[in-house]
Amino acid sequence: MNICFSQQDESFRREVAAWLADALSGEFAELRGRGGPGDDAALVEERKAWEKKLASGGYTCVGWPRKFGGRGLSLSQQVIFFEEYARAGGPGRVGHMGEMLLGPTCIAFGSAEQQRRFLPPIVAGEEFWCQGYSEPGAGSDLANVQTRAQLEGDEWVIHGQKVWTSWAAWADWGFVLCRSEPGSQRHAGLSYLLVPMRQPGVSLRPIRQITGDAEFFEVFYDGARTARENVLGAPGAGWKVAMGTLAFERGVSTLGQQMLFRNELQQIIETAKRNGRAQDPLIRQRIADAWIGLEIQRAGALRTLSSQSAELEAAGLVHKLYWATWHRALGELAMDVLGAEGEIAAGFPCELTPMQKLYLFTRSDTIYGGSNQIQRNIIAERALGLPREPRPPQSATPQAQS
């Protein structure tokens, strides 16, 4: 992997920087630096309008092929876009799930008709998506999905519950992993359905976090419906499609994620300079280590994107473990840089500063998307070929008491 920037690339960098500087002024100036982890619920409608602004300049879906409405940018130019977006203080993307996850999955697995229906509104910043994977009994163990979908005539009818669904209240559609074959177990018999979120059979319950925000939701499907044709890939073969989505999540998507990490690290550095903690040799060393860790993440993401070798599946698995642990440590660094100031709320009753939210939110990084413990098992078994971790024997069903 060798990312070099040509004169044409640097010209593109100047173009992006100038456009963002102009666009993030006036009505969108308040969005600078907003919408990161722990701040996802901020200024949602304004950030939706920002997606349309990005689309007007041709800056949504920049890595998608041109035939699907993207710009078909080279890897180096995608890197430049994300770097300049971070440098400009671009807000967290409400269109992230559609652009980075559903869109590439639809390009890879969808029919021509599905691509014509679902991709253009994502490019235009007009439709937004959420992900229906985790359930109360199927978080890191995604193959234990129990949400059911049954085909009735020309519609799938869905019953079940999803949890930790980011941005469900703001999404128009959700991509939902369901068990569509009665009696099936584990990876078999799952279907990847595209489900309208605004319908009578869908209800939401916000999950209030320790940060005070509620960007996660429980989603209840009680007879929710979607058209027969809204299954991505073959019915019953949803596991393959779901794994494809996760591969995209740990590929191009991580470049967008890292833009937020860079902004957070820069805020920590500026705070350390302001309050004098930058003179503390231990704090200086930890800041340097954080910067090195971010560069390692960048190199890892670029390596994943610039090669098709089979060994990179293992790299993708390691990457999630690495960034989650790194980001949790960044939150701890933020508190140590703040010192006693970090224990004081900005307002009553519990108004938190961005760095305080960073610390609290990052406690969850090593849990969601596959906990660190589960991730290490997956790396051992899938990447290294080690024997499966011993499972405790299932106890016999107790006899009914008379």
Side-chain angles (χ1 to χ4, degrees), residues 275-289:
N275 66 11
R277 299 307 299 277
Q279 302 304 316
D280 184 323
L282 294 180
I283 292 292
R284 291 168 64 91
Q285 184 63 56
R286 290 172 63 190
I287 289 175
D289 286 342

Side-chain angles (χ1 to χ4, degrees), residues 71-302:
R71 291 187 65 161
L73 295 185
S74 65
L75 176 58
S76 61
Q77 290 183 339
Q78 291 180 63
V79 173
I80 286 171
F81 172 75
F82 287 119
E83 288 180 339
E84 293 307 313
Y85 194 94
R87 187 173 288 115
R93 298 285 306 279
V94 181
H96 174 88
M97 292 289 185
E99 177 173 331
M100 299 297 192
L101 302 185
L102 186 279
T105 306
C106 188
I107 290 171
F109 296 96
S111 66
E113 183 177 350
Q114 289 170 332
Q115 292 164 353
R116 285 192 296 270
R117 165 60 187 88
F118 292 109
L119 298 182
I122 296 174
V123 175
E126 294 175 348
E127 287 186 348
F128 303 96
W129 289 78
C130 63
Q131 180 182 50
Y133 274 19
S134 294
E135 298 182 3
S140 297
D141 184 16
L142 184 59
N144 196 37
V145 160
Q146 298 300 314
T147 294
R148 307 182 315 280
Q150 181 177 347
L151 194 57
E152 296 182 3
D154 291 332
E155 292 183 312
W156 293 95
V157 182
I158 305 162
H159 293 271
Q161 177 187 359
K162 297 292 181 178
V163 72
W164 306 117
T165 303
S166 300
W167 313 330
W170 317 314
D172 304 292
W173 289 81
F175 47 100
V176 184
L177 192 62
C178 300
R179 192 161 298 282
S180 57
E181 296 180 5
S184 63
Q185 296 182 359
R186 304 300 296 167
H187 311 90
L190 299 172
S191 291
Y192 190 109
L193 301 183
L194 311 180
V195 182
M197 292 297 291
R198 296 190 175 97
Q199 59 169 303
V202 176
S203 59
L204 309 177
R205 185 162 64 195
I207 300 174
R208 188 67 56 184
Q209 299 151 227
I210 197 172
T211 60
D213 292 324
E215 65 256 33
F216 299 115
F217 295 82
E218 290 181 278
V219 183
F220 300 90
Y221 300 94
D222 184 14
R225 294 174 178 267
T226 193
R228 181 189 190 109
E229 61 270 19
N230 287 345
V231 55
L232 211 56
W239 182 257
K240 178 180 179 181
V241 183
M243 292 303 99
T245 300
L246 291 179
F248 290 119
E249 185 175 20
R250 292 164 185 174
V252 175
S253 176
T254 61
L255 293 175
Q257 179 188 52
Q258 287 168 31
M259 92 191 171
L260 298 174
F261 292 173
R262 288 188 182 277
N263 289 341
E264 291 165 351
L265 178 57
Q266 185 59 40
Q267 185 175 27
I268 290 172
I269 293 171
E270 291 171 358
T271 301
K273 291 178 179 178
R274 172 181 59 81
N275 66 11
R277 299 307 299 277
Q279 302 304 316
D280 184 323
L282 294 180
I283 292 292
R284 291 168 64 91
Q285 184 63 56
R286 290 172 63 190
I287 289 175
D289 286 342
W291 180 85
I292 291 169
L294 192 55
E295 291 301 303
I296 290 172
Q297 290 177 62
R298 179 177 183 268
L302 295 178

